[in-house]
Amino acid sequence: MATNDGRPADTEAAEHERQFCEILEYSPAALLVVDEEGLLLFHNARLRDLLGYEKDELDRIHTSEFWYDLDQRSQIIASLRDRGGRLLNEKVVWRTKSGQLLHLLLTYAQVAYRGGHISFVGGKRVLWVYDVTALTQHEFQVVEQERQLREILDYCPAAVCVVDEEGRILFHNWRMRDLLGYEKYELELFDTKLFWHDLGHRERIIELLRARGGQLLNEEVVWKTRRGELLTLLISYVQVAYAGGHVAVSGGKRLFWLYDITPLRRAEQARLRSERRLGEAIESISEGFVCYDGEDRLVICNSCYRNLLYPGMEIELSAGKTFESIIRNAAERGYVPDATGRVEEWVAERLRQHRNPGEPQVQRRNNGRWVMVSERRTEDGGTVAVYSDITELKQREQDLTEKSNALTALSSKLAKYLAPQVYDSIFTGRQDVKIVSTRKKLTVCFSDLVGFTEITDKMESEDLTHLLNHYLTEMSKIALQYGATIDKYVGDAIVMFFGDPATLGVKEDALACVQMAIAMQKRIGELAEDWRNTGIETPLRCRIGIHTGYCTVGNFGSDDRMDYTMVGGTVNLASRLEHEAPPGGVLISFETYALVKDETRCEERGHVQVKGIAQPVATYAVMGAKDAEQASTALLRLELDADRMSGDERKAAADTLRRALETLEKGV
């Protein structure tokens, strides 16, 4: 039989078969034909390339050698029988020649069941093999990545939740369960409405999602745990779309994240409570308080600060105002008198004080108030300050100053009525002002002017007063120079003593008293010329009596009026010796002489009988200090007016001249 082109029919069939075999040989899918025993009857290049065999190696090879899992092969054969010999896209694992595993997709495309055996036409079995190793590995990777992602989400520190359109939970992580206190199975398809403390808030959030296109980040909500505890959460809907009147994402789901900010809010509330309590505490302070930060901006102040510095005045003291602007505003408005006419200079001074605080400063305000400012730097470079109203203290200080000045003036006046030693002992607290006395050994000195009564008859009272005051002033200077306690002035007489309230010792006190008397007589001689020039014709001469002995000394008088003085026989004897002393002379007792004889030249004057003393008293005339006799040059000055001298004075002058003559003769 021939074809239309004249070629034999078998030749054409052979050509078709060759072409068909060539197509199968280079098919991208591996093709196998096996017999009923599973021996390989036909295979193409793709199979050899896939399994790594040569063509002759695969001729009639038993396909069971390819299988990694023979049990699966048996199951597939059973399935082929059950399904009439047709089985599509079964995943299997085969081994290559080198032992590598391949994931393959098998398809038995033409199978028939005959005589209890799997067979094809001619008793053959045809299957296609597709290499899905890469795809399978990718699926494994996707599965692993999904597992890892789920694990990451499950242990994420933020709660993750996926809900359906009705708000039922489709997915949640471990943090969600831990946060709300549920078991895993309890949250499957759980209605999230049960979490909300405020369902109205939930509805408002849904409206916001719709209005904003499904995106809502960091919205604070309050949810309830399983035990009913309230949690403050931050909820974020990160992928939301509005569709069909429902809030939804792809597949009708909704995804959101939850962050527990309950501790943060509690801390914030605690901070607010602390700030409120701090503000209340600062406000309750009775003094002005203010705090500035490191940039010198106002942080906080109390109302006392405002009322103290700016009572009834409009000054902006809001937080954030700089210290410089506040004080400059006050200075420019005249609230600070010290800044008047020198605002810039005052502001610069105040800034230096503020930035380098030291001792508290005092400010005078325009309303008559005085404010003490105590500033201190803080660790962060800021400044805290306390403003204290010291107006009352300043007024007391001023009153005290005035009273102190008055007291000082009064004490200065009173000092003139007391001996300096007595005055000092009273005002320093060493001696109390009360009637008390002690017995001490004193050296007592009496002095007066000879013939003062006669002079008073010849002088006007004003001149007499001036003369007497001049005399007493000069004598008092000398007395104080030698440490005498001036007891009193009696007319022209002066009563003094040594040994109380301070003493150098009995002997030293006696010597100081005698030296004082010598100095007084010398000063009287110097003043005589001055008095003569003022019209006093008769020279003034002084007589002095000194005695050492025990006296009772202290405060005498009443509670209302007392005098610091001395009493006793020693005082009386000193007074009598003063009356017995010659004009211009110093007469001392033996008790005094015994103490001063080593430093003072004295002459015995015999015993005298004085009123009030039973026994005669030994007396000595003080001639001067022994140092005077040792001088290399002697000076003699003689003034004599015999007509004006009394008998006693002439006698005393004669005695003096005789002693002077004896001294001169000894030196010839």
Side-chain angles (χ1 to χ4, degrees):
M1 183 176 178
T3 62
N4 293 332
D5 57 2
R7 289 184 297 171
D10 55 352
T11 303
E12 184 178 2
E15 178 61 22
H16 286 171
E17 183 177 356
R18 184 192 66 77
Q19 294 177 356
F20 179 69
C21 288
E22 186 174 322
I23 292 171
L24 294 178
E25 177 72 13
Y26 295 102
S27 171
L31 175 63
L32 295 84
V33 178
V34 296
D35 61 11
E36 294 180 356
E37 301 299 327
L39 296 176
L40 187 58
L41 302 178
F42 174 81
H43 61 276
N44 64 357
R46 179 55 181 158
L47 181 65
R48 298 192 295 274
D49 180 63
L50 194 63
L51 299 178
Y53 286 90
E54 296 295 332
K55 183 176 181 180
D56 57 351
E57 292 177 318
L58 291 181
D59 289 341
R60 300 193 63 80
I61 191 173
H62 201 290
T63 54
S64 62
E65 294 186 13
F66 303 151
W67 289 80
Y68 174 72
D69 186 355
L70 293 177
D71 292 336
Q72 186 185 18
R73 178 176 180 273
S74 300
Q75 293 171 2
I76 287 176
I77 293 174
S79 295
L80 286 169
R81 292 171 180 164
D82 294 339
R83 298 179 183 180
R86 188 176 181 85
L87 185 64
L88 302 178
N89 301 332
E90 185 72 18
K91 288 185 177 180
V92 299
V93 179
W94 280 13
R95 287 191 299 260
T96 67
K97 181 181 178 180
S98 61
Q100 294 179 349
L101 300 182
L102 295 177
H103 293 271
L104 305 174
L105 202 63
L106 300 186
T107 296
Y108 294 87
Q110 185 180 6
V111 180
Y113 185 76
R114 290 182 181 179
H117 298 282
I118 296 174
S119 63
F120 309 128
V121 177
K124 300 180 179 68
R125 210 162 48 221
V126 178
L127 68 147
W128 294 87
V129 178
Y130 306 92
D131 183 9
V132 293
T133 303
L135 180 62
T136 302
Q137 290 176 347
H138 177 69
E139 290 178 351
F140 286 161
Q141 291 176 354
V142 170
V143 171
E144 177 62 19
Q145 289 174 353
E146 184 178 352
R147 184 193 65 78
Q148 293 178 1
L149 178 60
R150 284 179 171 272
E151 187 172 302
I152 291 172
L153 291 176
D154 203 29
Y155 293 98
C156 176
V160 183
C161 189
V162 178
V163 297
D164 61 14
E165 293 180 353
E166 304 300 326
R168 293 173 298 188
I169 297 177
L170 301 178
F171 171 79
H172 65 277
N173 64 352
W174 168 86
R175 179 57 178 154
M176 182 88 167
R177 299 190 294 274
D178 180 66
L179 194 62
L180 299 175
Y182 287 88
E183 297 295 333
K184 184 176 182 179
Y185 71 90
E186 292 177 312
L187 291 182
E188 293 179 359
L189 294 177
F190 190 90
D191 191 347
T192 55
K193 293 179 183 177
L194 300 177
F195 296 146
W196 289 79
H197 176 64
D198 184 355
L199 290 176
H201 191 191
R202 178 177 181 270
E203 296 301 324
R204 290 193 297 273
I205 286 179
I206 292 175
E207 292 299 324
L208 284 174
L209 286 169
R210 292 169 178 165
R212 298 180 181 180
Q215 186 83 358
L216 184 64
L217 302 178
N218 302 333
E219 182 76 12
E220 284 193 27
V221 299
V222 178
W223 279 18
K224 296 177 293 189
T225 66
R226 183 179 182 183
R227 294 185 296 179
E229 297 175 346
L230 299 182
L231 297 178
T232 303
L233 306 173
L234 207 63
I235 191 168
S236 292
Y237 294 87
V238 294
Q239 186 182 2
V240 181
Y242 182 77
H246 299 283
V247 177
V249 293
S250 178
K253 301 180 180 64
R254 199 162 61 220
L255 169 67
F256 58 86
W257 295 79
L258 287 173
Y259 307 90
D260 183 12
I261 59 172
T262 305
L264 180 63
R265 285 293 167 260
R266 289 174 180 170
E268 180 70 13
Q269 292 171 0
R271 183 186 64 80
L272 293 175
R273 286 195 300 270
S274 298
E275 287 184 356
R276 185 178 67 253
R277 291 171 182 170
L278 177 61
E280 292 173 352
I282 291 175
E283 187 63 28
S284 67
I285 298 175
S286 60
E287 297 174 311
F289 178 88
V290 65
C291 176
Y292 291 90
D293 62 18
E295 297 180 353
D296 257 354
R297 295 186 179 276
L298 179 63
V299 177
I300 189 173
C301 68
N302 61 1
S303 58
C304 183
Y305 171 76
R306 177 188 294 273
N307 296 333
L308 183 62
L309 297 184
Y310 314 106
M313 303 177 185
E314 293 298 329
I315 287 286
E316 185 182 357
L317 293 178
S318 58
K321 289 284 290 183
T322 64
F323 176 78
E324 181 178 358
S325 65
I326 293 175
I327 63 172
R328 183 181 297 279
N329 195 359
E332 291 174 348
R333 294 192 182 191
Y335 297 165
V336 185
D338 291 343
T340 304
R342 51 186 293 270
V343 172
E344 294 300 327
E345 183 180 352
W346 182 85
V347 169
E349 292 174 357
R350 185 67 187 92
L351 285 175
R352 285 195 298 271
Q353 295 168 352
H354 173 74
R355 291 165 181 169
N356 300 283
E359 295 296 323
Q361 307 150 27
V362 176
Q363 290 184 5
R364 182 165 58 96
R365 311 302 290 187
N366 67 333
N367 57 357
R369 288 190 173 275
W370 290 87
V371 178
M372 184 174 69
V373 183
S374 301
E375 295 177 306
R376 184 178 65 83
R377 302 291 283 182
T378 60
E379 292 183 357
D380 60 356
T383 304
V384 292
V386 175
Y387 289 71
S388 306
D389 185 358
I390 59 170
T391 305
E392 184 177 351
L393 182 62
K394 268 289 185 181
Q395 291 174 348
R396 291 181 181 178
E397 180 182 344
Q398 185 176 356
D399 294 342
L400 182 61
T401 300
E402 293 175 355
K403 291 179 181 179
S404 178
N405 293 337
L407 181 60
T408 300
L410 178 61
S411 64
S412 299
K413 295 176 182 178
L414 290 176
K416 298 183 182 300
Y417 291 89
L418 297 172
Q421 299 91 331
V422 177
Y423 172 84
D424 291 339
S425 64
I426 292 175
F427 277 84
T428 57
R430 294 195 306 270
Q431 181 170 306
D432 198 2
V433 183
K434 59 184 180 180
I435 298 177
V436 64
S437 59
T438 57
R439 187 166 175 79
K440 291 184 178 181
K441 195 169 188 178
L442 306 179
T443 296
V444 183
C445 175
F446 277 73
S447 74
D448 70 347
L449 292 174
V450 178
F452 185 72
T453 303
E454 298 175 1
I455 297 174
T456 59
D457 295 337
K458 299 178 182 180
M459 297 182 64
E460 296 295 334
S461 59
E462 292 83 0
D463 295 335
L464 180 62
T465 300
H466 176 73
L467 173 64
L468 181 59
N469 287 337
H470 186 205
Y471 163 72
L472 293 176
T473 298
E474 293 296 326
M475 296 302 102
S476 297
K477 289 180 181 178
I478 297 173
L480 295 178
Q481 178 183 351
Y482 284 89
T485 300
I486 300 176
D487 187 347
K488 61 178 69 70
Y489 301 108
V490 184
D492 61 313
I494 306 175
V495 181
M496 299 162 283
F497 57 87
F498 288 77
D500 188 78
T503 179
L504 299 175
V506 176
K507 182 175 181 179
E508 288 76 7
D509 290 340
L511 181 60
C513 184
V514 171
Q515 291 173 344
M516 175 196 70
I518 295 172
M520 285 181 172
Q521 293 293 15
K522 180 180 179 182
R523 183 60 178 157
I524 288 291
E526 295 171 350
L527 293 174
E529 188 65 28
D530 295 337
W531 289 336
R532 181 182 292 275
N533 295 334
T534 60
I536 300 175
E537 183 179 358
T538 302
L540 294 177
R541 284 168 292 174
C542 175
R543 56 190 178 188
I544 300 174
I546 300 173
H547 174 57
T548 301
Y550 281 97
C551 300
T552 301
V553 61
N555 291 321
F556 293 87
S558 66
D559 292 337
D560 299 326
R561 174 72 170 87
M562 61 183 64
D563 189 17
Y564 191 85
T565 186
M566 56 189 171
V567 296
T570 297
V571 180
N572 295 332
L573 180 54
S575 176
R576 299 296 184 271
L577 291 176
E578 180 259 322
H579 287 292
E580 294 295 330
V586 179
L587 193 63
I588 65 176
S589 66
F590 175 78
E591 288 78 4
T592 303
Y593 167 75
L595 297 171
V596 303
K597 62 183 179 179
D598 295 334
E599 288 82 10
T600 306
R601 183 168 58 85
C602 301
E603 288 186 358
E604 186 176 358
R605 284 289 181 264
H607 292 72
V608 296
Q609 189 71 43
V610 297
K611 185 179 179 180
I613 304 296
Q615 299 297 326
V617 177
T619 61
Y620 293 83
V622 176
M623 307 307 295
K626 286 189 175 181
D627 292 342
E629 294 182 356
Q630 300 173 359
S632 59
T633 303
L635 177 63
L636 175 63
R637 180 177 178 181
L638 177 63
E639 292 183 4
L640 181 63
D641 190 350
D643 295 337
R644 297 182 180 181
M645 297 175 64
S646 64
D648 291 339
E649 291 174 345
R650 288 190 182 95
K651 182 179 179 182
D655 291 339
T656 301
L657 290 173
R658 279 195 295 271
R659 288 194 299 272
L661 181 60
E662 292 174 358
T663 301
L664 291 173
E665 289 176 348
K666 290 179 181 179
V668 175

